[in-house]
């Protein structure tokens, strides 16, 4: 049951009929796993914490650097040198004491990663490498956990939410390769801060819609954003019948271009 203080704090969300008191309570009771605390993760976490997510589990093994600050907007200059998860946890607590934080300052693999995915209501993939993305996807598919994957490079970004239904595709259907060509390595490209901010914010929006039991109208649809043209494009993604993770007989397939978050 919401407290009087929570009614006041979240009144503008409560006024939305699609959320209301029950939806807000669902947010407060939820646990979201955010893997990657860079540009995507920092934008997503700002809105998730502000919305009243009950628990955020944040995972990253990096430290804050000055070159992060133009696009990883949750961090401050005084936090340079801190681990990203500790710096992010500090900011989350300053935003909303309703939001509990568990910070994991290492890369998760194997059983540890599986346990965190199992305990989450929604998983946000904000990582910067294909190998991690494929591991996260495989576990989300196995454990039937909604996965919201975001990526951005240069002036372009993309976001997609996988609902993990039996006939639905997975990330491996979209990006079947486990490695990026050398020419597509993230650290060789520039990135504009607002681009990752837009994609990270869309990830947060999709998570909130899932957690408040709204119909996933955009599930399994790849949304592409071109900041230079200021245009969005949406493509349907269907299951790859040869997918190693979720393969199921079907006639058509669509494979997308891999990008990476910085």
């Amino acid at each position: 049951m919401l407290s009087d203080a929570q009614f006041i704090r979240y009144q503008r969300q409560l006024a939305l009929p699609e959320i209301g008191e029950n939806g807000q309570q669902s947010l407060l009771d939820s646990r979201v796993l955010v893997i990657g605390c860079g540009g995507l993760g920092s934008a997503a976490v700002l809105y998730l914490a502000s919305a009243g997510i009950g628990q955020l589990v944040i995972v990253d093994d990096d430290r804050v650097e000055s070159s992060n600050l133009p696009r990883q907007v949750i961090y401050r200059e005084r936090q340079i040198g801190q681990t990203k998860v500790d710096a992010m946890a500090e900011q989350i607590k300053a935003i909303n004491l309703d939001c509990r934080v568990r910070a994991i300052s290492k890369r998760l693999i194997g059983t540890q990663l599986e346990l965190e995915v199992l305990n989450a209501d929604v998983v946000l993939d904000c990582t910067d490498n294909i190998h991690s993305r494929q591991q996260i996807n495989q576990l989300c598919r196995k454990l039937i956990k909604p996965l919201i994957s975001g990526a951005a490079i240069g002036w372009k970004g993309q976001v997609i939410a996988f609902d993990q239904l039996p006939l639905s595709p997975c990330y491996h259907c979209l990006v079947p390769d486990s490695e990026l060509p050398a020419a597509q390595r993230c650290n060789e490209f520039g990135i504009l801060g607002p681009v990752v901010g837009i994609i990270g914010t869309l990830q947060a929006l999709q998570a909130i819609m899932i957690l408040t039991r709204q119909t996933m109208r955009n599930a399994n649809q790849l949304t592409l954003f071109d900041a230079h043209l200021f245009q969005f494009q949406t493509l349907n993604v269907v299951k790859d019948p040869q997918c190693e993770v979720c393969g199921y007989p079907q006639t058509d397939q669509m494979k997308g271009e891999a990008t990476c978050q910085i």
Side-chain angles (χ1 to χ4, degrees):
M1 182 176 179
L2 301 183
S3 67
D4 291 343
Q6 288 170 333
F7 265 104
I8 295 171
R9 183 183 185 105
Y10 304 115
Q11 60 180 303
R12 300 301 289 272
Q13 291 176 187
L14 293 168
L16 295 170
E18 298 85 357
I19 296 182
E21 185 175 353
N22 289 337
Q24 188 61 55
Q25 189 62 60
S26 294
L27 294 177
L28 290 165
D29 292 340
S30 67
R31 177 183 297 182
V32 177
L33 174 62
V34 180
I35 307 176
C37 296
L40 296 172
S42 68
V45 161
L46 282 170
Y47 279 98
L48 291 172
S50 299
I53 297 300
Q55 183 174 18
L56 284 168
V57 180
I58 54 176
V59 183
D60 201 297
D61 64 347
D62 286 340
R63 292 180 178 271
V64 180
E65 301 176 0
S66 62
S67 62
N68 300 148
L69 300 181
R71 66 193 180 281
Q72 299 178 18
V73 294
I74 200 169
Y75 305 120
R76 303 292 178 261
E77 285 196 2
R78 61 178 173 77
Q79 294 178 312
I80 292 173
Q82 292 185 33
T83 63
K84 285 187 177 178
V85 291
D86 287 341
M88 182 175 282
E90 179 184 335
Q91 295 295 91
I92 293 170
K93 292 172 184 176
I95 292 169
N96 191 352
L97 292 176
D98 281 343
C99 184
R100 304 182 307 280
V101 189
R102 189 153 62 84
I104 301 174
S105 58
K106 63 180 180 180
R107 294 197 177 194
L108 294 179
I109 57 174
T111 303
Q112 288 180 311
L113 178 58
E114 183 168 359
L115 184 61
E116 295 300 336
V117 172
L118 177 64
N119 289 327
D121 296 304
V122 176
V123 178
L124 269 63
D125 183 351
C126 303
T127 60
D128 61 359
N129 68 89
I130 294 296
H131 181 67
S132 295
R133 290 177 180 272
Q134 298 289 9
Q135 284 188 316
I136 294 165
N137 171 69
Q138 187 171 0
L139 288 172
C140 286
R141 189 71 182 194
K142 173 184 175 181
L143 300 170
I144 318 178
K145 298 291 182 177
L147 170 63
I148 305 170
S149 177
I153 198 72
W155 294 82
K156 297 181 179 180
Q158 65 183 45
V159 62
I160 184 169
F162 297 100
D163 58 17
Q164 313 300 3
L165 296 178
L167 297 179
S168 297
C170 72
Y171 182 79
H172 193 269
C173 297
L174 179 65
V175 186
D177 296 326
S178 297
E179 297 291 338
L180 279 176
Q184 290 182 295
R185 299 299 179 187
C186 295
N187 59 7
E188 296 178 9
F189 286 83
I191 183 69
L192 191 64
V195 176
V196 288
I198 288 168
I199 300 301
T201 300
L202 289 175
Q203 287 182 275
L205 175 61
Q206 289 176 316
I208 291 168
M209 293 180 70
I210 292 170
L211 293 168
T212 54
R213 311 295 192 269
Q214 297 184 51
T215 302
M216 290 181 68
R217 298 181 182 87
N218 60 341
N220 313 310
Q221 291 184 330
L222 179 67
T223 297
L224 305 173
F225 175 60
D226 188 323
H228 229 170
L229 299 177
F230 212 79
Q231 291 180 348
F232 284 93
Q233 182 182 13
T234 300
L235 304 172
N236 288 323
V237 180
V238 299
K239 184 187 291 290
D240 180 352
Q242 305 301 321
C243 180
E244 300 173 1
V245 178
C246 71
Y248 186 89
Q250 206 171 64
T251 56
D252 299 317
Q253 63 179 314
M254 193 285 287
K255 297 178 182 179
E257 177 185 358
T259 60
C260 49
Q261 173 268 338
I262 299 183

